[in-house]
Each structure stands twice: as C-alpha cells, then as structure tokens.
Amino acid sequence: MANTMKAAVFEKIGVINVKEVPVPEIDDSEVLIKIVYTGICGTDWSIYNGWYSADKLPMIAGHEFSGVIAKLGKNAKGLKEGDRVTADINMGCGTCFYCIRGEKLLCESFTQLGIHTNGAYAEYVKAPAAQVHKLPENLSFEEGAFIEPVSCVIHAAKAMDARLGSSVAIIGCGLGVLHARMAVLRAAAPVIIFGDNRKRLKIAKDMGADCAIHIDDVEDPVAEVKRLTGGRGADYVIEAVGSVKTYEQAFGMLRRGGKLSAFGIVGEQDTMKIRPFEFVLGEKKVTGSCAGVGSDWTDAMTLIANGRIDPSPLFSKIPLEDLDWALHELRSDPSLFKVFVSPDITKREML
Ligand SMILES: [Zn+2]
Ligand SMILES: [Zn+2]
C-alpha cells in the first residue's frame, strides 16, 4: 500500500485543495477504510465558510461515507480486510457525566469524525473499530454512505415519538423529506411538509406525504396547518430548516399539548420569541436532536435494507476533484439532493 493518498483538504475558509497527503496511521483499536463514497452535507458548507469547526482547519472534512476495510488494528474484533462498512462518526470520552449516563452526544469533549477530526474526502479514513458497522449484503455503497443522515432523522423520530394516527407537519425539504417518510412509516396522518423546492416536495409526496406544499403557494404556513388539522394545529412539528423565522412558525403551528422536534441547526447566538404561557397552559413540549448514534445507525441500515426507505432517487456522483464545484452547485441547483464524492470516478453522474 502506498504511503500517500489523494485528499480534499479544507485549507482555510473558502479554500479546498485536492492533494497528496500521508495515509492515516492506525493504532491497535482502529481500522483503515478505503473510501468508496462520501456524501456532501450542509455541515461541509458550514465548515467551508468558517461557520463551523473553523479552529480545526486545515482539515479533511467528510462524515457520510462507505468503503472497504483496508487494514485492521490488533484489537479490532469481528472485522476483516475487505469488509464493506461505514462508521458511526460520534465520539465521546467515555468517562464524563454524560458518557456514563449513555448520553454520548452531550459528552463534554464530544467530537465527530470528519467534522472535528480528519474525515472521508480522501482515499482512506481511519475510524475506531468499535464504531464500525458492516453493511448488510443488499445495501449498496451509495446507501452505505447515506446511513449517517438517515440515522439523524431516526434519532429525532425516536425522541419525538409520534403516536399512530397523529398529525405531523415538517418545515423544510432537505432532510425534511426523510422526516416525512419516517412520519408515514409511523402511521402518522396527515403528514404535511413545507419547502421551497418543487422537485423535492414531489419526492416527499412519492414517499407518502399527504400534503407537500411550496411556501410560495400559501400565504401563511401556520394558518394552513391549522386549516388541515381541524383548527388545532399539528400534534407534532419538525423544524428542519434552521432559521429563527421557521422555528417561530413551527412553534405557532403546534397544537396545545403538541411536541416540537428541533432538528434544523441555527446560529449559536440566535434567539426566538416564545410565550412561556404556551408551555404552561398549552403544555407544549420540545425535543432537541443533534445526531444519530449507536442503534440509530443499525436501525437506519435495517430500514434501508428492507426497502422501508429508498433513497436511490436522491443520488448524484462526482469525482473528488469536483468537491469545491459541487459545494457551490448544491446552493444553486435545486434538482440536486445528495451528491456523493468518489476518489475513484472521473466523470460526473448527475441526477
Ligand atoms: Zn451530514
Ligand atoms: Zn464524555
């Protein structure tokens, strides 16, 4: 095996260079994974712009990946070279108050592979063996690289815990599309999704959403949800945009006693207006959700492997060299959904 590899290094804000760097060295408890695909995520755009993890640059980003085990540490149990895998990117210290309670996502020194440490926009990535998941036989490498986003949606769905027959409204048609699918799988009805992209709304509809509404087609999404739910508001609302305005809308379209799932990431210092009255007399509740972890990953694999979630209509592929281009293109081309980067392909395969 060569000592160097091709990688897309996020050098500083707004600069990505594809260049030769050393192949990561693994310790006894780690594995080296040869990357097949890495999905581009909104978080990568935030890192590129310095809104997130700016203190970690230069860094190789990329946290939604699939590949094949190329090398194993001595203590990597239950795995072998050639295994098709992905890896849970969430790493806790294992000893703090939160880790001991099994709340790794809240760990005092929480890190995510490809977000805070070197990731998968490269030919190889290293990961702790204990975090590696073998892909079921009928799961493609594309689907393997899509487990991370699905696991995030599953984590939020478990926290929200929508009851059968309840109404669910979703704001946002990025991962909101998968939230809509998840609500359908939980036998929620009606499932209402708002978005700014007709193609994605159509996909949500194809996945079973009852109402897929373009925000240009309604005057007031809050009034629309009330109209569709007998004047009450939705039993559950998922904010999957990440803006103060849409969080306020989400809270407004929630019925008394309803639950809001806070999923979209806003700026750290952003604040919103809430009347505490609605928590007290309205008994409204909020569940926050930061990532998918542990069994959220295996549940994601099970749902995809058994066809409950079919993400294949969402996929495009590009060579690693085009990462910079694709990060910008994703902002301007509404037809793109999930773009996979591969170190091995030379031609773009667009949706
Ligand atoms: Zn992601
Ligand atoms: Zn910890």
Side-chain angles (χ1 to χ4, degrees):
M1 214 176 95
N3 295 327
T4 65
M5 65 173 185
K6 190 167 64 168
V9 181
F10 288 51
E11 304 276 9
K12 53 184 180 182
I13 294 172
V15 180
I16 294 175
N17 284 327
V18 177
K19 63 184 192 187
E20 286 291 315
V21 301
V23 171
E25 287 191 24
I26 58 167
D27 68 26
D28 290 348
S29 63
E30 292 175 321
V31 299
L32 187 70
I33 300 167
K34 179 154 191 352
I35 293 298
V36 177
Y37 292 118
T38 304
I40 300 180
C41 171
T43 307
D44 299 321
W45 179 245
S46 295
I47 297 171
Y48 179 83
N49 285 292
W51 303 327
Y52 204 72
S53 278
D55 57 326
K56 302 287 190 282
L57 305 182
M59 183 186 84
I60 302 164
H63 62 272
E64 303 177 2
F65 59 91
S66 61
V68 172
I69 293 193
K71 215 163 124 185
L72 291 146
K74 271 210 304 279
N75 303 332
K77 300 275 184 289
L79 298 166
K80 58 180 191 312
E81 273 180 37
D83 278 346
R84 303 160 68 251
V85 296
T86 183
D88 186 336
I89 60 168
N90 302 293
M91 292 176 285
C93 69
T95 57
C96 74
F97 172 84
Y98 296 103
C99 282
I100 285 169
R101 289 169 63 92
E103 297 174 339
K104 193 206 271 187
L105 295 174
L106 308 178
C107 171
E108 317 267 8
S109 43
F110 179 61
T111 53
Q112 291 176 302
L113 194 160
I115 294 175
H116 309 104
T117 66
N118 278 341
Y121 289 131
E123 287 180 276
Y124 295 93
V125 70
K126 69 170 180 178
Q131 313 253 136
V132 169
H133 293 290
K134 279 199 254 185
L135 302 182
E137 228 160 71
N138 61 341
L139 217 71
S140 66
F141 281 113
E142 289 90 332
E143 289 165 333
F146 198 61
I147 291 166
E148 194 275 334
V150 176
S151 77
C152 295
V153 170
I154 286 177
H155 190 78
K158 286 177 184 170
M160 193 181 77
D161 199 19
R163 218 171 95 170
L164 182 152
S166 53
S167 55
V168 176
I170 299 129
I171 307 182
C173 63
L175 282 182
V177 170
L178 290 180
H179 282 288
R181 177 64 189 154
M182 199 62 65
V184 170
L185 289 173
R186 293 193 76 131
V191 174
I192 306 157
I193 178 168
F194 293 94
D196 60 357
N197 181 319
R198 293 193 195 277
K199 185 166 178 182
R200 292 180 181 191
L201 288 168
K202 160 91 172 51
I203 293 173
K205 190 104 199 180
D206 292 345
M207 289 184 173
D210 301 287
C211 312
I213 304 166
H214 197 286
I215 45 166
D216 289 348
D217 298 345
V218 282
E219 218 163 276
D220 177 10
V222 174
E224 185 64 10
V225 167
K226 289 197 172 157
R227 194 183 67 78
L228 291 164
T229 53
R232 286 186 303 275
D235 300 327
Y236 300 90
V237 179
I238 301 161
E239 203 286 354
V241 174
S243 79
V244 170
K245 184 181 163 204
T246 41
Y247 267 104
E248 287 177 347
Q249 282 175 340
F251 206 68
M253 62 178 67
L254 192 63
R255 75 155 164 84
R256 291 190 297 128
K259 231 190 239 181
L260 168 74
S261 170
F263 187 84
I265 299 179
V266 285
E268 220 178 320
Q269 306 306 329
D270 291 349
T271 56
M272 67 183 276
K273 270 202 205 121
I274 294 179
R275 293 184 301 136
F277 181 87
E278 298 196 40
F279 287 115
V280 187
L281 275 83
E283 297 205 336
K284 291 187 176 181
K285 301 158 194 78
V286 179
T287 55
S289 181
C290 133
V293 70
S295 62
D296 302 329
W297 286 67
T298 42
D299 292 339
M301 290 198 287
T302 302
L303 290 182
I304 300 173
N306 289 285
R308 294 297 186 281
I309 296 172
D310 174 14
S312 53
L314 312 176
F315 297 162
S316 300
K317 294 172 203 168
I318 58 155
L320 182 62
E321 287 75 7
D322 288 346
L323 174 60
D324 194 322
W325 169 81
L327 279 170
H328 290 90
E329 192 70 7
L330 271 162
R331 302 293 115 188
S332 57
D333 181 352
S335 67
L336 292 179
F337 196 105
K338 183 54 68 181
V339 178
F340 292 122
V341 173
S342 166
D344 299 322
I345 65 172
T346 52
K347 270 208 336 250
R348 294 174 191 165
E349 295 171 35
M350 306 311 280
L351 199 74

PDB file of all heavy atoms in Angstrom, residues 10 16 38-50 59 61-64 114-115 121 323 327 331 338:
ATOM      1  N   PHE A  10      -9.538  20.956   3.375  1.00  0.00           N
ATOM      2  CA  PHE A  10     -10.121  22.277   3.630  1.00  0.00           C
ATOM      3  C   PHE A  10      -9.007  23.089   4.295  1.00  0.00           C
ATOM      4  O   PHE A  10      -8.783  22.966   5.497  1.00  0.00           O
ATOM      5  CB  PHE A  10     -11.346  22.156   4.533  1.00  0.00           C
ATOM      6  CG  PHE A  10     -12.558  21.542   3.867  1.00  0.00           C
ATOM      7  CD1 PHE A  10     -12.471  20.337   3.180  1.00  0.00           C
ATOM      8  CD2 PHE A  10     -13.800  22.169   3.931  1.00  0.00           C
ATOM      9  CE1 PHE A  10     -13.586  19.768   2.561  1.00  0.00           C
ATOM     10  CE2 PHE A  10     -14.934  21.609   3.319  1.00  0.00           C
ATOM     11  CZ  PHE A  10     -14.815  20.409   2.642  1.00  0.00           C
ATOM     12  N   ILE A  16     -10.335  24.855  -0.791  1.00  0.00           N
ATOM     13  CA  ILE A  16     -10.149  23.399  -0.759  1.00  0.00           C
ATOM     14  C   ILE A  16      -9.074  23.049  -1.782  1.00  0.00           C
ATOM     15  O   ILE A  16      -9.147  23.481  -2.929  1.00  0.00           O
ATOM     16  CB  ILE A  16     -11.449  22.661  -1.149  1.00  0.00           C
ATOM     17  CG1 ILE A  16     -12.536  22.910  -0.101  1.00  0.00           C
ATOM     18  CG2 ILE A  16     -11.189  21.165  -1.296  1.00  0.00           C
ATOM     19  CD1 ILE A  16     -13.889  22.321  -0.468  1.00  0.00           C
ATOM     20  N   THR A  38     -18.416   9.370  -0.355  1.00  0.00           N
ATOM     21  CA  THR A  38     -18.650  10.269   0.779  1.00  0.00           C
ATOM     22  C   THR A  38     -19.719  11.275   0.365  1.00  0.00           C
ATOM     23  O   THR A  38     -19.578  11.949  -0.661  1.00  0.00           O
ATOM     24  CB  THR A  38     -17.357  11.020   1.155  1.00  0.00           C
ATOM     25  OG1 THR A  38     -16.339  10.053   1.415  1.00  0.00           O
ATOM     26  CG2 THR A  38     -17.568  11.885   2.391  1.00  0.00           C
ATOM     27  N   GLY A  39     -20.787  11.356   1.139  1.00  0.00           N
ATOM     28  CA  GLY A  39     -21.880  12.270   0.815  1.00  0.00           C
ATOM     29  C   GLY A  39     -21.574  13.695   1.267  1.00  0.00           C
ATOM     30  O   GLY A  39     -21.006  13.901   2.335  1.00  0.00           O
ATOM     31  N   ILE A  40     -21.972  14.657   0.434  1.00  0.00           N
ATOM     32  CA  ILE A  40     -21.812  16.069   0.815  1.00  0.00           C
ATOM     33  C   ILE A  40     -23.006  16.481   1.675  1.00  0.00           C
ATOM     34  O   ILE A  40     -24.152  16.194   1.352  1.00  0.00           O
ATOM     35  CB  ILE A  40     -21.745  16.978  -0.429  1.00  0.00           C
ATOM     36  CG1 ILE A  40     -20.551  16.582  -1.307  1.00  0.00           C
ATOM     37  CG2 ILE A  40     -21.628  18.448  -0.006  1.00  0.00           C
ATOM     38  CD1 ILE A  40     -20.411  17.429  -2.560  1.00  0.00           C
ATOM     39  N   CYS A  41     -22.701  17.172   2.774  1.00  0.00           N
ATOM     40  CA  CYS A  41     -23.717  17.558   3.762  1.00  0.00           C
ATOM     41  C   CYS A  41     -23.649  19.067   3.965  1.00  0.00           C
ATOM     42  O   CYS A  41     -22.618  19.692   3.728  1.00  0.00           O
ATOM     43  CB  CYS A  41     -23.391  16.823   5.054  1.00  0.00           C
ATOM     44  SG  CYS A  41     -24.342  17.332   6.475  1.00  0.00           S
ATOM     45  N   GLY A  42     -24.753  19.639   4.432  1.00  0.00           N
ATOM     46  CA  GLY A  42     -24.780  21.064   4.732  1.00  0.00           C
ATOM     47  C   GLY A  42     -23.678  21.468   5.711  1.00  0.00           C
ATOM     48  O   GLY A  42     -23.154  22.588   5.647  1.00  0.00           O
ATOM     49  N   THR A  43     -23.318  20.559   6.598  1.00  0.00           N
ATOM     50  CA  THR A  43     -22.245  20.846   7.560  1.00  0.00           C
ATOM     51  C   THR A  43     -20.928  21.141   6.840  1.00  0.00           C
ATOM     52  O   THR A  43     -20.140  21.978   7.291  1.00  0.00           O
ATOM     53  CB  THR A  43     -22.062  19.646   8.519  1.00  0.00           C
ATOM     54  OG1 THR A  43     -23.329  19.335   9.076  1.00  0.00           O
ATOM     55  CG2 THR A  43     -21.085  19.955   9.627  1.00  0.00           C
ATOM     56  N   ASP A  44     -20.692  20.464   5.702  1.00  0.00           N
ATOM     57  CA  ASP A  44     -19.457  20.719   4.948  1.00  0.00           C
ATOM     58  C   ASP A  44     -19.422  22.158   4.424  1.00  0.00           C
ATOM     59  O   ASP A  44     -18.376  22.795   4.391  1.00  0.00           O
ATOM     60  CB  ASP A  44     -19.335  19.738   3.769  1.00  0.00           C
ATOM     61  CG  ASP A  44     -19.274  18.296   4.242  1.00  0.00           C
ATOM     62  OD1 ASP A  44     -18.616  18.036   5.266  1.00  0.00           O
ATOM     63  OD2 ASP A  44     -19.906  17.444   3.591  1.00  0.00           O
ATOM     64  N   TRP A  45     -20.594  22.618   4.001  1.00  0.00           N
ATOM     65  CA  TRP A  45     -20.710  24.012   3.521  1.00  0.00           C
ATOM     66  C   TRP A  45     -20.394  24.974   4.674  1.00  0.00           C
ATOM     67  O   TRP A  45     -19.725  25.990   4.497  1.00  0.00           O
ATOM     68  CB  TRP A  45     -22.120  24.230   2.965  1.00  0.00           C
ATOM     69  CG  TRP A  45     -22.415  25.604   2.451  1.00  0.00           C
ATOM     70  CD1 TRP A  45     -23.310  26.476   2.960  1.00  0.00           C
ATOM     71  CD2 TRP A  45     -21.826  26.268   1.316  1.00  0.00           C
ATOM     72  NE1 TRP A  45     -23.319  27.642   2.219  1.00  0.00           N
ATOM     73  CE2 TRP A  45     -22.416  27.538   1.210  1.00  0.00           C
ATOM     74  CE3 TRP A  45     -20.847  25.907   0.373  1.00  0.00           C
ATOM     75  CZ2 TRP A  45     -22.084  28.461   0.213  1.00  0.00           C
ATOM     76  CZ3 TRP A  45     -20.509  26.815  -0.627  1.00  0.00           C
ATOM     77  CH2 TRP A  45     -21.115  28.068  -0.699  1.00  0.00           C
ATOM     78  N   SER A  46     -20.876  24.632   5.878  1.00  0.00           N
ATOM     79  CA  SER A  46     -20.601  25.465   7.059  1.00  0.00           C
ATOM     80  C   SER A  46     -19.113  25.463   7.397  1.00  0.00           C
ATOM     81  O   SER A  46     -18.551  26.496   7.767  1.00  0.00           O
ATOM     82  CB  SER A  46     -21.396  24.960   8.267  1.00  0.00           C
ATOM     83  OG  SER A  46     -22.766  25.111   8.033  1.00  0.00           O
ATOM     84  N   ILE A  47     -18.464  24.309   7.260  1.00  0.00           N
ATOM     85  CA  ILE A  47     -17.018  24.231   7.540  1.00  0.00           C
ATOM     86  C   ILE A  47     -16.253  25.046   6.489  1.00  0.00           C
ATOM     87  O   ILE A  47     -15.365  25.827   6.810  1.00  0.00           O
ATOM     88  CB  ILE A  47     -16.536  22.755   7.550  1.00  0.00           C
ATOM     89  CG1 ILE A  47     -17.216  21.975   8.687  1.00  0.00           C
ATOM     90  CG2 ILE A  47     -15.010  22.686   7.678  1.00  0.00           C
ATOM     91  CD1 ILE A  47     -16.971  20.471   8.660  1.00  0.00           C
ATOM     92  N   TYR A  48     -16.649  24.882   5.231  1.00  0.00           N
ATOM     93  CA  TYR A  48     -16.021  25.603   4.115  1.00  0.00           C
ATOM     94  C   TYR A  48     -16.077  27.113   4.335  1.00  0.00           C
ATOM     95  O   TYR A  48     -15.130  27.839   4.048  1.00  0.00           O
ATOM     96  CB  TYR A  48     -16.760  25.212   2.828  1.00  0.00           C
ATOM     97  CG  TYR A  48     -16.285  25.880   1.557  1.00  0.00           C
ATOM     98  CD1 TYR A  48     -15.186  25.393   0.854  1.00  0.00           C
ATOM     99  CD2 TYR A  48     -16.972  26.987   1.037  1.00  0.00           C
ATOM    100  CE1 TYR A  48     -14.769  25.987  -0.321  1.00  0.00           C
ATOM    101  CE2 TYR A  48     -16.554  27.591  -0.139  1.00  0.00           C
ATOM    102  CZ  TYR A  48     -15.456  27.085  -0.817  1.00  0.00           C
ATOM    103  OH  TYR A  48     -15.041  27.687  -1.974  1.00  0.00           O
ATOM    104  N   ASN A  49     -17.215  27.581   4.886  1.00  0.00           N
ATOM    105  CA  ASN A  49     -17.398  29.024   5.090  1.00  0.00           C
ATOM    106  C   ASN A  49     -16.904  29.526   6.446  1.00  0.00           C
ATOM    107  O   ASN A  49     -17.058  30.711   6.761  1.00  0.00           O
ATOM    108  CB  ASN A  49     -18.875  29.380   4.923  1.00  0.00           C
ATOM    109  CG  ASN A  49     -19.285  29.366   3.467  1.00  0.00           C
ATOM    110  OD1 ASN A  49     -18.843  30.208   2.693  1.00  0.00           O
ATOM    111  ND2 ASN A  49     -20.080  28.385   3.076  1.00  0.00           N
ATOM    112  N   GLY A  50     -16.399  28.615   7.251  1.00  0.00           N
ATOM    113  CA  GLY A  50     -15.877  29.017   8.558  1.00  0.00           C
ATOM    114  C   GLY A  50     -16.934  29.245   9.614  1.00  0.00           C
ATOM    115  O   GLY A  50     -16.658  29.823  10.669  1.00  0.00           O
ATOM    116  N   MET A  59      -8.095  20.831   7.538  1.00  0.00           N
ATOM    117  CA  MET A  59      -8.674  19.538   7.901  1.00  0.00           C
ATOM    118  C   MET A  59      -9.287  18.882   6.666  1.00  0.00           C
ATOM    119  O   MET A  59      -9.733  19.576   5.763  1.00  0.00           O
ATOM    120  CB  MET A  59      -9.775  19.789   8.940  1.00  0.00           C
ATOM    121  CG  MET A  59     -10.429  18.553   9.461  1.00  0.00           C
ATOM    122  SD  MET A  59     -11.822  18.974  10.540  1.00  0.00           S
ATOM    123  CE  MET A  59     -13.105  19.216   9.342  1.00  0.00           C
ATOM    124  N   ALA A  61     -12.451  17.223   5.567  1.00  0.00           N
ATOM    125  CA  ALA A  61     -13.829  17.028   6.046  1.00  0.00           C
ATOM    126  C   ALA A  61     -14.400  15.735   5.449  1.00  0.00           C
ATOM    127  O   ALA A  61     -13.668  14.942   4.864  1.00  0.00           O
ATOM    128  CB  ALA A  61     -14.673  18.243   5.698  1.00  0.00           C
ATOM    129  N   GLY A  62     -15.719  15.565   5.588  1.00  0.00           N
ATOM    130  CA  GLY A  62     -16.386  14.374   5.024  1.00  0.00           C
ATOM    131  C   GLY A  62     -16.775  13.394   6.115  1.00  0.00           C
ATOM    132  O   GLY A  62     -15.903  12.756   6.713  1.00  0.00           O
ATOM    133  N   HIS A  63     -18.088  13.274   6.394  1.00  0.00           N
ATOM    134  CA  HIS A  63     -18.505  12.425   7.515  1.00  0.00           C
ATOM    135  C   HIS A  63     -19.627  11.452   7.156  1.00  0.00           C
ATOM    136  O   HIS A  63     -20.119  10.752   8.022  1.00  0.00           O
ATOM    137  CB  HIS A  63     -18.934  13.304   8.698  1.00  0.00           C
ATOM    138  CG  HIS A  63     -20.111  14.171   8.384  1.00  0.00           C
ATOM    139  ND1 HIS A  63     -19.972  15.428   7.828  1.00  0.00           N
ATOM    140  CD2 HIS A  63     -21.435  13.961   8.511  1.00  0.00           C
ATOM    141  CE1 HIS A  63     -21.176  15.939   7.649  1.00  0.00           C
ATOM    142  NE2 HIS A  63     -22.086  15.070   8.050  1.00  0.00           N
ATOM    143  N   GLU A  64     -20.043  11.414   5.890  1.00  0.00           N
ATOM    144  CA  GLU A  64     -21.097  10.465   5.478  1.00  0.00           C
ATOM    145  C   GLU A  64     -20.450   9.541   4.460  1.00  0.00           C
ATOM    146  O   GLU A  64     -20.365   9.884   3.289  1.00  0.00           O
ATOM    147  CB  GLU A  64     -22.264  11.220   4.834  1.00  0.00           C
ATOM    148  CG  GLU A  64     -22.859  12.293   5.735  1.00  0.00           C
ATOM    149  CD  GLU A  64     -23.982  13.084   5.061  1.00  0.00           C
ATOM    150  OE1 GLU A  64     -24.331  12.790   3.901  1.00  0.00           O
ATOM    151  OE2 GLU A  64     -24.494  14.012   5.706  1.00  0.00           O
ATOM    152  N   GLY A 114     -14.647  13.734  10.740  1.00  0.00           N
ATOM    153  CA  GLY A 114     -14.942  14.464   9.507  1.00  0.00           C
ATOM    154  C   GLY A 114     -15.542  15.844   9.752  1.00  0.00           C
ATOM    155  O   GLY A 114     -15.773  16.603   8.810  1.00  0.00           O
ATOM    156  N   ILE A 115     -15.827  16.149  11.033  1.00  0.00           N
ATOM    157  CA  ILE A 115     -16.344  17.468  11.373  1.00  0.00           C
ATOM    158  C   ILE A 115     -15.357  18.181  12.306  1.00  0.00           C
ATOM    159  O   ILE A 115     -15.056  19.361  12.142  1.00  0.00           O
ATOM    160  CB  ILE A 115     -17.752  17.355  12.000  1.00  0.00           C
ATOM    161  CG1 ILE A 115     -18.726  16.817  10.931  1.00  0.00           C
ATOM    162  CG2 ILE A 115     -18.222  18.709  12.529  1.00  0.00           C
ATOM    163  CD1 ILE A 115     -20.131  16.536  11.417  1.00  0.00           C
ATOM    164  N   TYR A 121     -13.218  12.795   2.769  1.00  0.00           N
ATOM    165  CA  TYR A 121     -12.981  13.302   1.410  1.00  0.00           C
ATOM    166  C   TYR A 121     -11.550  12.964   1.039  1.00  0.00           C
ATOM    167  O   TYR A 121     -10.682  13.843   0.930  1.00  0.00           O
ATOM    168  CB  TYR A 121     -13.223  14.804   1.330  1.00  0.00           C
ATOM    169  CG  TYR A 121     -14.688  15.190   1.427  1.00  0.00           C
ATOM    170  CD1 TYR A 121     -15.107  16.183   2.311  1.00  0.00           C
ATOM    171  CD2 TYR A 121     -15.645  14.578   0.623  1.00  0.00           C
ATOM    172  CE1 TYR A 121     -16.448  16.538   2.400  1.00  0.00           C
ATOM    173  CE2 TYR A 121     -16.982  14.923   0.709  1.00  0.00           C
ATOM    174  CZ  TYR A 121     -17.376  15.901   1.596  1.00  0.00           C
ATOM    175  OH  TYR A 121     -18.698  16.254   1.684  1.00  0.00           O
ATOM    176  N   LEU A 323     -15.226  18.504  -5.691  1.00  0.00           N
ATOM    177  CA  LEU A 323     -15.901  18.802  -4.425  1.00  0.00           C
ATOM    178  C   LEU A 323     -16.217  20.296  -4.272  1.00  0.00           C
ATOM    179  O   LEU A 323     -17.336  20.686  -3.936  1.00  0.00           O
ATOM    180  CB  LEU A 323     -15.044  18.312  -3.243  1.00  0.00           C
ATOM    181  CG  LEU A 323     -15.546  18.690  -1.855  1.00  0.00           C
ATOM    182  CD1 LEU A 323     -16.941  18.131  -1.592  1.00  0.00           C
ATOM    183  CD2 LEU A 323     -14.582  18.182  -0.774  1.00  0.00           C
ATOM    184  N   LEU A 327     -19.972  21.871  -3.912  1.00  0.00           N
ATOM    185  CA  LEU A 327     -20.431  22.607  -2.723  1.00  0.00           C
ATOM    186  C   LEU A 327     -21.194  23.852  -3.148  1.00  0.00           C
ATOM    187  O   LEU A 327     -22.233  24.188  -2.583  1.00  0.00           O
ATOM    188  CB  LEU A 327     -19.230  22.999  -1.841  1.00  0.00           C
ATOM    189  CG  LEU A 327     -18.688  21.896  -0.924  1.00  0.00           C
ATOM    190  CD1 LEU A 327     -17.364  22.325  -0.307  1.00  0.00           C
ATOM    191  CD2 LEU A 327     -19.686  21.536   0.176  1.00  0.00           C
ATOM    192  N   ARG A 331     -25.852  24.834  -3.810  1.00  0.00           N
ATOM    193  CA  ARG A 331     -26.561  26.054  -3.384  1.00  0.00           C
ATOM    194  C   ARG A 331     -27.466  26.566  -4.487  1.00  0.00           C
ATOM    195  O   ARG A 331     -28.469  27.208  -4.235  1.00  0.00           O
ATOM    196  CB  ARG A 331     -25.580  27.187  -3.028  1.00  0.00           C
ATOM    197  CG  ARG A 331     -24.580  26.887  -1.952  1.00  0.00           C
ATOM    198  CD  ARG A 331     -25.227  26.709  -0.604  1.00  0.00           C
ATOM    199  NE  ARG A 331     -25.034  25.332  -0.163  1.00  0.00           N
ATOM    200  CZ  ARG A 331     -25.588  24.786   0.903  1.00  0.00           C
ATOM    201  NH1 ARG A 331     -26.408  25.491   1.638  1.00  0.00           N
ATOM    202  NH2 ARG A 331     -25.356  23.540   1.221  1.00  0.00           N
ATOM    203  N   LYS A 338     -28.620  14.598  -2.748  1.00  0.00           N
ATOM    204  CA  LYS A 338     -27.416  14.073  -2.107  1.00  0.00           C
ATOM    205  C   LYS A 338     -26.362  13.823  -3.174  1.00  0.00           C
ATOM    206  O   LYS A 338     -26.587  13.074  -4.130  1.00  0.00           O
ATOM    207  CB  LYS A 338     -27.744  12.772  -1.371  1.00  0.00           C
ATOM    208  CG  LYS A 338     -26.594  12.166  -0.608  1.00  0.00           C
ATOM    209  CD  LYS A 338     -25.915  13.115   0.385  1.00  0.00           C
ATOM    210  CE  LYS A 338     -26.757  13.494   1.565  1.00  0.00           C
ATOM    211  NZ  LYS A 338     -26.041  14.449   2.486  1.00  0.00           N
TER     212      LYS A 338
END
